Amino acid sequence: MTTWTMEELEPEIDAVRTRLLAHQRELKRYFVGRDLEIDLMLTAAAAQEPLLFVGPPGTAKSDLVVKFTESLGLTDEDYFEYMLTKFTEPSEILGPIDIDLLKQGRFVRRTQGKLPEARVAFLDEIFKSNSAILNTLLTILNERKYYQDGMPVPVNLAVLFAATNDIPEQSELEAMSDRFVLKIETRPVKDTHFTELVDAGLRNESFKATGRRPWADGSASFDDLLKMKRYMDLTFASGKGASADREHFFPPAVFAEMRRVVRTLESEDKVFVSDRKLVKLYRLIRTHAFLNHGGAVDTPDLMLLAYSGNRRQELPVVQEKVRTLLGA
Amino acid sequence: MTLGVRLRGEAADLAALQTLARALPELVSARWVEVSAGDQRILASPEIAEDAAETLRQSGLDVIRLTRRENDLVLRDFGEDDAAPSPLPGAHTRNAQHLLEALRPLPVDRPRPPAEALFVMSAHGDAPRHVLERVLLLGRDDVTVAEWLARDERLFVVRADRPPHYLLMRAHEEPDEGVRAYARAAPGLWVEWGFAHPLAAIAGEVVRERGRDALVDRDGRWREIDERWPSRSVYDALKPELPAARVRLTPAPDETRFSVRLRLAPGPPSEPELWLLSPEQLLRLESLVDSAPRDDLGSLTLARLLHPDDGPVYLLRERPRAGRRRLGLRISELCEAEGFSHTDGADNLYLPVGSRLLPAMRRDELKELLGLDTARAAVLRDRGDGPEVITVPAVDEEPLDRFVDYIATDRRVELDRLLEDAVFHFPGVVVNRPKKVDAVRPQRDAPEKKPRRSFADLFKRGREVDANELEDEQTTETEVLPSLDEQAALRAEARALEQRAAEGGVTVEKAWYELAVLKELLEEVDDACASLEAALLFAEEGRDVERARTLASWRARLAPHRGADDDILQLALEEDLTPTDATLLGARALVALLGGEPLPDGVLPVLVRTFSRPALPVSRRLAWLVLWACHQTTSDKLGLTRAKEALIGQLNDRGLNETWDLPRFIRYALALDDDSDASGERNRLEQLDALDRLWELASSDLRELEPLSAYKRLLFAVGYARAGATGQARELARPVEDELPAHDRPNRELFRLYLARLAHAQSDDDDDAFHADVEQILVSIGDDRARRAVDWLRKRSPWLRAAEHEPPAPWLRPQLQRALEAAERDPKKASATVRRALEEREHFDYEVAQAVVRGVRAVMRTGNDALIDDVVDAAAGGLRRIGVLGHRALAIGCCIEAAAATGDLGTVHRLLDGIIEIARAPRTPSVRDLLRAVRPALLALRRLGAAGSADHFLHALVPLTESHQKDRAPLAAALADGFLQLGDRGAAADLIDRASEASRDAQLEYGARYDGAAAVLDTLRHWPTAERAERGAELLRDLDAFNDTFTVRVWFPTHKLLVIERLVDTVVDVITFSSDRVRAYLDADELALRRRIAHDWSEL
């Protein structure tokens, strides 16, 4: 149920927030050196914005998503994972055409176990997919729907994670890249956390061998994420006037700081921030602030801007620049 | 009461003010007051008179009258004095020195970051710290700072090119933080960023005229500063603090050393090359000696040593040769002995095959621990109860085949004994000599056995040897050879004579004859024949037919396929005579001619024709002997003159031939002081020692991933490989191979080229194979920029570039070309052609020089002194007509050669003066051009035997090394070369030192410095190895002097690399030094031959 009212949510939203933060802390115990990734995953999931992991193989991208999903109490039916190639066909993502119905002249997909039915999805090597897949995914990401027999059908998908080794610069992929407001580089941690990595790796292997999944007993549920999203949506809509949310939750000095950072990134580092992306960034920062300290946005919350780079080589530059500008 | 103008806060205000400035320009510099009240802004000036106000009003300006009533200001429209005044409650006033200052900047929508900005703040408070921290965090340490004193405050200013947008916005949006950012609006005018002054350009001009800069803030306030204000680095404004406890570490008094036990461990497979054999194991070599070709055995050396516990030990070593198969594995198997191979990183350390030393140690540590040096080898072996280090002293290792005598009968016992005792003494043994294979040769009855005499003793007594006696001895089937001791004594005697002959110009008949007999005794028949020919040539009292007969008999032994019945005519008529047949023919002809034997009809002309042929593969000595004998028998003076001219023409054209005119023993005596193997080894050790010393110097500042360090490694690796230390070469190159991917593209490809050069140096391939590899690597470089950089170095590097082609002959006008071709066909025309070329004014200088050169060469080939003199006379008189000094130098050099060929020392001296005149001319030619004349001149003087003149000539040129600022190093090096050839090592050393110093002179342009170093290194090739290394080290120490500014320097320092490459090439060059001595011998020998020809000709 995603039609909770403000009256229903307000009494329990603090508890939801507390559960999600506890959940976040618990999940971090199963990973080494991945605190940042987990923070971003929770924020992105709470805001229902897709998150892109950029990094080489073997940097726990898939493991993060799988454990994150399992920790929220979701089952295999709620989770869809696929590695895309240029030969991947839409039926592999959306489901095969129902032959019986096709004989009757209807073009309907059997979506069970596929992306439209899943609530969390992980698409590996997303930029290697072909244009047919990209168009389908853009529709799903933009409008949360796909087409069955020419009719739009809503998808269940709430949270999308994707991964790539590189971000190509072809123009046809820019639209998809822009949908991922947040992008984070995942780097190997063996140099900084050698011992912990070996210990944690062995422990995870043992969990796998014995079929145990202690992270699945997370403090929060998927519903908590949905409630947080719903609460934020209702909050954005509350108040009088278009600037109500900003005046209430975004102090002018912090807002001015956000504007300065964005303009600096645009003018000095040529980071393109589209209008759509700016709004989404605002929503993400607000969600992050509320999730983490339950109040108005503070300057440290603007650190989310550090993950707003577009191109592969921009990511570390932007991250460093934002840290510097914000004095973090 | 003040009159003023009301502004409306619109763009029209600007037009109004421009109208004001145009109508009443004097008001621009008047004092003004800006009055602002609410949204009203008024500019008033006490200097506006009533009539001026009227003028302004008529110009359309909104003129008002401003008065003060009680505490408030009121205004009234000008000209409407009756109207009620309007109060201006809460009005603010601001005084301005002129109209421009009274104007308030207007805000700009979305201002862009300017090219340059000033951040101005109070020097007190936190603002400067915050700004500086942020600027430095953003990596902008290029900003500069300054401090200004305002009336009552100290201002801190940060000036930034491309100012950080964030800081600009922050200053603009957060004025409370006390930082104001100003952008340059016009020269001299800085306006707060985010605002624009309406009259910025005019305002800028006004303040500039006053020599000031003005800062205008958003409120219109002006601050003026000097146009030039001092600024300083941002770091000068920082006072870094680190609140941390201080701990100072001091060097510990003693070094801690840790004992590490070295051990042998399995290593990569390798071929055995050294064995320590017991006497029993040594004898197992017999089957190898039996079956292996003698050439293969030549790669094995043997020495007898004494082990303190095990007694005699034989050190057997294989010295692999290119193209020869390795015998190592077979020897290990045969002798059942452990083989050793040298280890990487220490060429003199031998480890058991397939093992290595752990842990790996530095080369110098290993040397110290095991007492390794270039003269001593160490063998490390595992004896079961622990490792044993065997130090092998520098002993004379003799080639194995020296211990082997091939005997017809199985005399195993004697051979064994010989092998046992071989090194320390050579007992005399009687062995059976196999019969000569000369089946055709008439067998004489065995004469009565004569006791063996020492020929050395005979000669000491001054007794001549009977040639028949000699022949008898050659044909003895069983003979008593001199004992080994006696042989050694004979050899020493021969060596002394060889050395004397090798010093050049030996014209003493007796010396040659002694040498001939000794050589024959030592079974070196070819050398004996060469010596006997020389003895015949230099015969003082007529040429002896018996000696000619001896020569013929020795030559016949070298041509066993020729029967004694092969007559002279048959031999003479053969086409394409082989060297053996040609020399045999010459010897037999001499016997016949000197002995007065009747020759078949027609033989004489055939002999003359045959021995006049320049390509006949005999020495010019023998050729002259035969020609002289032919004409002497018929007293044909004209014929002898023709023969003389033919021979001299050949000498003029190409000089003596190293293959036919240089006796083999002379070549060895020149190149080697001892026997070949030992000398070769000594050369190698000297080179390695020199390379070691240079590498120690070059490797003092090696750094990982630094291109120059990698190049140094590769260049020295090639040097080591060429000196035979392949292990060291591999060790040097390995780090470069490891770090190859980390280097930039051009360097990576060049490293591959040098690695290819290294591989070819190790495998001793020919240059064609290497250049094929180079082409392949070049083709694989896709990036044009990288390929250009690679080509840049490749074209300059002697190791990487392909062989240079001869430049094509210069183009000449058809008429001159035809005349010269005619002169070349008929040398009699040469003189006229040269004279005409010199007289006709339309020819270019290079054409005249070419005419002289070709004309002289044409007559030189004739050997006709008169013709040569004619051409030289024709040329020498008109050489001044050649204005371009470089071309004149070429022509003079050629004429000197010709004059020297005819022995005309007077003309030579006159021409030498011409060179000195050129060198001292105010418009001096380049040193390269000058050397085109100096080198042939030196050569000519040496051939003439005019060492004194040459010395004088060189000394006359020495002062030029001071005047030629740019080229003094190459010139000094060339002159040093000349002095060295004349044997004046003192003067040569002085000049080469001066050249070396000049090449490092910082005053010179870098190209000249490199040219100087290259010339020094080329010259050093003619010096002994140790001196090459010593002087090369000086260049290496000052390597930084060989810098350059080429574009490719972002990747590699061209000149430094080329200097190192030439240095290494010079140190490992063994050819030049030897060939110098060979050349000097041939020059001296040619002079002696010319004199002898002239003598014989004049005698007839």
Side-chain angles (χ1 to χ4, degrees), chain A residues 256-257 259-261 263-264 267-268 321 324-325, chain B residues 110 134 137-138 163-166 169-170 173-174:
Chain A
E257 187 76 354
R259 186 175 58 222
R260 283 195 289 269
V261 172
R263 285 203 179 151
T264 301
S267 65
E268 292 185 356
K321 187 69 168 274
T324 305
L325 294 177
Chain B
R110 289 218 55 181
R134 228 176 260 278
L137 281 170
L138 289 168
H165 197 178
Y166 176 84
M169 283 193 288
R170 184 130 190 164
E173 293 173 356
E174 311 286 348

Side-chain angles (χ1 to χ4, degrees), chain B residues 788-806:
Chain B
R788 279 198 295 275
V790 170
D791 265 343
W792 168 269
L793 188 64
R794 195 177 69 87
K795 284 174 184 165
R796 286 161 178 76
S797 156
W799 283 356
L800 300 185
R801 68 174 169 229
E804 287 176 9
H805 298 291
E806 282 282 316

